[in-house]
Each structure stands twice: as C-alpha cells, then as structure tokens.
Amino acid sequence: MVLALAGGRASADPSPPQPVGVHRCAENYPESALEAGIHGATTIAFRIGADGVPTDLQVEKSSGNDDLDNATLKCIAVWRYEPAHADGKPVEVPWKTTVTWDIEIPVPLPKPGTLHDCLSYTPSADEEAHATAPVQIHFIAKTDGSVSEPFVALSSGSKTFDEAAMQCASRWQYLPATRDRQPVAVGWAVRVALQKGVPVVAENFAKPHLCFHYPEKALRDHIEGTTILAFMINTDGRITQASVAKSSGSKELDEATIVCSSRWMYRPAKRDGQPIAVPWGAQVTWTEGYAFVLELPTDLRN
C-alpha cells in the first residue's frame, strides 16, 4: 500500500499530548515521488500548543527529497492533539514526529497523468438501447503497468459496447501492484456503464468476493497488511485446503482472511463439460478499515 506512517516522541513531560483522530499522511504522497518510486523518512520538530495545535514546524532530518519533506510539513500542520498537562493545566511542549513514506501498492492504481475513462468513445443509439447493465471486464495488470488479456466477464447486453469498452481498457496504464517493493502481476477488473449516453468507469472493482469484518484488535491498533491465500476450488465450487501462502505479518489479519474465504463460492472449472477441482488463490489487503480482494490464479501467487 502507499504508506506514510507517523511516530512521535515527547519531551520528559509527565503527561504527554495524545493524537486527536488518526494521524496519517498517505493521502498526501506527492505524485512526483510516487511515480518515481521515491521513499524516505522525514523528521519534523515542532511545538504543540496548549490548544493542541502544532506550531513552529521545522524539518529536523530530511528524507532526502524536498517533495516528501514539504508534504510532511503540510500534513502535520493539520493534525490536532489533546495537549500535554502540568499541574492539571494544558501547557505547550516541544515535540517531534518522523513520517516514513513508503510505497507498497496492494492493488493496481491509475498511473499519475493518465486517464482511466472511455469518454473518447461515443455510443450509438442502438448500443444505448441494448447496454442495460455495466460490462464487467477482467484482465491482468502486468508488472510494467500495462493491461493484458482483457475479456468480458459479464456483458452489458450490447456486444458492440462490450467490445468498445474492452478496447478502451486495454490502453490504460497502471502503477503496478507491488509486493516487497517489487512489481507483481495481478488479476483486476473494472465495470463500464452507460449513463445518459456517457461511458462511466467503476475503477477498483475486482470480484464479488468480499471481507466485511476487519478484526477489532487490528483495527484498534491500526494494523494493516496483505494476506495471500492458496486453496482448492472443489467441483461444487466450495473452497478446501485453504492456507496462508504469504502472511500479512499479523495473526489476526491472516485468521480473518481464512474465515472470510471459507464463505466464498465459485462456479467450478470444467473440463470436457465436467466440473473439476483446481488450485487457486486470493490476495486480501486489509487497510484503513476495509478489505480488498483480488483473485490470484496459481501462476500469479508467488
């Protein structure tokens, strides 16, 4: 995932300030640094006033990148704290925080500077009449960010619109998903619907397999991670032999992934018209209170 993790430390005040809300900066990751794959850690020294507002922000230790340093300053400036107390009264104290900017993208993201839309395509009146549902397009987002092997998984009702949407998606570019900072190919999907004659893209859609129950302890402790499962899909479409192929680093997240997947159902694979058992896998990324599921055929799990 795209990360910007904050860790703070205080002076020797007996009642240190406490963060109000979640202190994070991932949403502020500069596009220039993200696209270039730049990461680093910036330490900021500042004061927390008796009103809990950070002031006098200074870069104490640079990440080595001006964009990351400036983004850290802007991010911390809007944080708020429960102020430190001395003799029962709020007081101003010196403080410092290190924000670590790291890049680990669990799912493909649109590459900065590119558009993931199909607005250059103008559907005909016949397509508008027949495209009564979104077309669901599945593909592989490759390690270079290109789209490979797109196919129509669910039709819109218009074969012409399906083909046009698939051709549109095949030209997109992604920031590839990464694992251990290395690009990996993953299965992905989008939906394209016609709304009042305009193609509308639903990005970040993969499969109807969901995980709703973020483990309470992991959520409370702000634990995030990605679990990769390996399992068999039986001839009845049920999952068996599920195991953790790659741990998220959190026992709670790994166990939640196993429990979640136990409820999934598939249309079984077939050979010569007969259902067969096949090996399969899935990647479940737990982040910011949500879980994102990606299907992983066996050749993409490693």
Side-chain angles (χ1 to χ4, degrees), residues 5 25 56 60 84 89 125 149 186 195 208 253 269 276 287 296:
L5 304 178
C25 296
D56 301 329
E60 182 174 274
K89 296 181 180 180
E149 304 174 37
V186 295
Q195 296 182 5
L253 296 184
I276 59 171
T287 178
L296 293 179

Side-chain angles (χ1 to χ4, degrees), residues 76-104:
I76 293 175
V78 300
W79 290 355
R80 295 296 179 264
Y81 290 84
E82 290 288 343
H85 284 76
D87 299 325
K89 296 181 180 180
V91 294
E92 182 180 87
V93 294
W95 199 255
K96 64 177 65 176
T97 290
T98 298
V99 174
T100 300
W101 300 89
D102 205 352
I103 303 172
E104 192 71 32

